[in-house]
Amino acid sequence: QVQLVESGGGLVQAGGSLRLSCAANGGTFRSFTMGWFRQAPGKERDIVAGISWSGDTTYYAGSVKGRFTISRDNAKNSVYLQMDSLKHEDTAVYYCASTGIRFGVPPGHREYDSWGQGTQVTVSS
């Protein structure tokens, strides 16, 4: 089992940027497909972006495509989410998650088995 710790959330004005980081401990990080999810109050936990174990394949939700960029550094056991042109509707708790599924990037949260504690992102309009 891998332990995941997110950092980098905060309060930002609309149009601004934030970079989230997720550090992994335990497990074999380079073998995991990684995802960033978010959950706003009263809403489902939805995938924002995902990246394959090799970094060759990425997935983005339509609402963030062109604004967010996911990346990973296997040497540092870390995955990142660069968020630009932030909008008020991006406000949510953001979670990092891992899965042992290695074919593509699964979009559903039930396919991920390790989760971080979450970091709050608040975008003021």
Side-chain angles (χ1 to χ4, degrees), residues 34-110:
M34 301 298 296
W36 283 100
F37 290 75
R38 68 186 180 188
Q39 188 167 21
K43 294 191 175 182
E44 295 286 319
R45 186 173 296 189
D46 293 325
I47 192 167
V48 175
I51 188 166
S52 64
W53 64 275
S54 64
D56 290 343
T57 302
T58 56
Y59 171 91
Y60 294 95
S63 59
V64 307
K65 198 171 293 185
R67 300 189 297 122
F68 290 10
T69 303
I70 190 170
S71 62
R72 67 189 296 159
D73 186 340
N74 286 344
K76 295 183 178 180
N77 288 351
S78 295
V79 62
Y80 309 98
L81 185 68
Q82 177 67 39
M83 305 186 294
D84 298 318
S85 303
L86 282 161
K87 304 176 181 180
H88 177 67
E89 50 264 42
D90 295 318
T91 296
V93 178
Y94 283 70
Y95 298 89
C96 171
S98 69
T99 176
I101 296 173
R102 289 164 63 90
F103 298 102
V105 178
H109 67 86
R110 289 181 177 83

Side-chain angles (χ1 to χ4, degrees), residues 110-123:
R110 289 181 177 83
E111 294 168 289
Y112 291 76
D113 39 45
S114 292
W115 293 83
Q117 81 287 352
T119 185
Q120 176 71 46
V121 171
T122 303
V123 184

